[in-house]
Amino acid sequence: MSITSQPKVYYVSQSEVDSRLSCQRKHYYAFGFTHPSEDDTVGLQPTHHSDSLTRGTIGHKVLEDYYQAIKDGHSRQSAMLTARDAHIKAMGENPHQAEMYSETLQFFLNYHEFYMDEEYEPLILEYNFEYQIHEELIFPFKPDAIFKHKPTGKIYVVDHKFLYRFYQDRVFPILPQLLRYAYALRQMGYQVDGYIYNMVSTDKRAQPQNRFKRHKVEFTKAHDRKMVKVFGEMLETMEEIVAAKKDELWEAKVKRNMSSFSCANCPFLELCTAELEGQPGIGLLVKQFYESNKYGYGKDKEEADV
């Protein structure tokens, strides 16, 4: 490396870490495989997504529009109308998903009524943060929202979840995502007093009053210790990922998990099987069922409007 050259910077996200921990081969397909039609990019994603993923994407967008309007000074009623109109416009632009948009609109209208008197105000929405760990490694992350509790001034990092069934209470203490986000935000100088999983049930049979649940945690010294450990464990995997990407033999070295639990819902099952069996036409299979991974960080950067 010359005196004037700069080291390559690696952006390693929460989802990439989870992918690596799930299966090294899955991680390689998602973040290292080169699409035959787009050789200037790395990583693959399916061209078609599950209904649950699509519904969640639509739901996140309408909540973002709703809270952005509130943040911009609209009353909750006016914000609801703004988000509703944007949602209906998007539904018209995606007629093949009209039923899903219609369902999500009803969820949203029920959500607005259920939380009409909530005491939280949105501070930051869907913003790409970058926590630089060292000169070669950045942890990029995008919380769905950061809320302020108006009576107490406490700040919470928020994750919206569109789920058929709510998470069981016993699961929350082991979920790492918001602990990782909170640790990084604190290291960057932001106040974070806790987190909220903001859950919306997509079960059509659920009554409106049973469709919504929030799991809120206020940080204690025990949480502070846990988030340091959780982030430290993630950092070890991040460093493994960077080392793998630097290795010219990365593809040859990655192993397959090959368990029924991991493989049954893997988006790369057919590709992985075809490569394992040495089937012909791998490039054609990739062109037909996959596209370049659009999930990336580090391209555009703006200042957070706090």
Side-chain angles (χ1 to χ4, degrees):
M1 182 182 294
S2 69
I3 295 175
T4 57
S5 64
Q6 297 294 322
K8 181 175 180 178
V9 178
Y10 293 87
Y11 288 75
V12 182
S13 66
Q14 149 102 10
S15 64
E16 183 168 0
V17 168
D18 287 349
S19 178
R20 171 82 178 186
L21 292 172
S22 172
C23 174
Q24 291 184 19
R25 197 74 188 176
K26 175 182 176 181
H27 170 252
Y28 175 75
Y29 288 139
F31 296 94
F33 194 103
T34 300
H35 195 285
S37 300
E38 304 175 59
D39 57 10
D40 60 337
T41 63
V42 291
L44 303 175
Q45 66 181 27
T47 52
H48 299 288
H49 303 292
S50 67
D51 285 353
S52 60
L53 180 59
T54 302
R55 187 178 290 106
T57 300
I58 294 170
H60 275 73
K61 178 62 174 137
V62 72
L63 289 184
E64 179 187 0
D65 290 342
Y66 176 61
Y67 284 113
Q68 183 62 54
I70 293 172
K71 186 172 180 286
D72 291 340
H74 289 253
S75 67
R76 290 195 176 269
Q77 184 67 18
S78 174
M80 181 274 290
L81 295 174
T82 298
R84 183 203 63 183
D85 292 348
H87 185 84
I88 291 173
K89 182 175 182 293
M91 180 166 57
E93 295 169 349
N94 297 275
H96 61 292
Q97 297 176 332
E99 181 177 355
M100 200 172 297
Y101 271 90
S102 180
E103 292 172 4
T104 308
L105 177 59
Q106 190 57 56
F107 298 158
F108 166 63
L109 295 177
N110 293 154
Y111 178 96
H112 163 70
E113 292 178 7
F114 190 84
Y115 290 117
M116 174 66 79
D117 298 321
E118 69 173 331
E119 296 180 317
Y120 295 97
E121 62 174 315
L123 298 181
I124 300 175
L125 301 167
E126 299 286 350
Y127 177 75
N128 287 326
F129 289 94
E130 295 179 1
Y131 170 43
Q132 184 142 11
I133 297 169
H134 55 68
E135 65 176 3
E136 284 191 321
L137 182 58
I138 288 176
F139 173 55
F141 60 104
K142 184 166 70 171
D144 292 334
I146 295 178
F147 283 176
K148 177 181 179 181
H149 187 237
K150 289 184 285 187
T152 63
K154 291 185 176 181
I155 307 296
Y156 299 87
V157 59
V158 179
D159 191 50
H160 304 313
K161 294 292 186 186
F162 286 78
L163 308 163
Y164 189 76
R165 289 283 184 270
F166 295 143
Y167 293 149
Q168 297 180 29
D169 287 345
R170 68 186 184 89
V171 173
F172 289 105
I174 203 65
L175 296 180
Q177 180 180 358
L178 295 187
L179 286 172
R180 291 168 175 171
Y181 288 3
Y183 176 88
L185 286 167
R186 284 182 167 185
Q187 293 298 114
M188 296 170 70
Y190 289 90
Q191 174 188 343
V192 185
D193 300 299
Y195 64 71
I196 298 172
Y197 280 101
N198 183 33
M199 296 176 286
V200 178
S201 171
T202 59
D203 184 351
K204 298 177 186 177
R205 299 168 300 175
Q207 296 298 313
Q209 65 271 20
N210 299 324
R211 192 177 294 284
F212 311 105
K213 181 179 179 180
R214 286 178 175 171
H215 182 85
K216 183 178 76 170
V217 168
E218 293 189 9
F219 292 147
T220 63
K221 293 296 183 183
H223 289 101
D224 293 345
R225 292 190 295 271
K226 183 165 71 171
M227 74 172 68
V228 170
K229 187 171 184 179
V230 165
F231 197 91
E233 290 179 353
M234 181 183 70
L235 180 56
E236 291 180 7
T237 305
M238 295 172 76
E239 297 287 11
E240 290 176 7
I241 289 171
V242 171
K245 290 181 175 180
K246 289 180 177 180
D247 191 338
E248 294 181 357
L249 299 177
W250 180 19
E251 181 179 7
K253 291 181 177 179
V254 291
K255 300 177 179 63
R256 293 174 171 85
N257 187 318
M258 290 193 290
S259 74
S260 58
F261 181 80
S262 297
C263 298
N265 297 308
C266 178
F268 305 109
L269 176 59
E270 288 73 21
L271 173 58
C272 187
T273 303
E275 285 200 327
L276 180 63
E277 296 177 351
Q279 296 178 14
I282 297 295
L284 182 61
L285 184 152
V286 172
K287 288 181 180 179
Q288 184 172 1
F289 295 105
Y290 300 95
E291 62 186 0
S292 176
N293 192 343
K294 304 291 193 297
Y295 183 76
Y297 289 93
K299 298 176 182 177
D300 300 312
K301 189 80 173 99
E302 300 174 351
E303 291 301 317
D305 180 17
V306 183

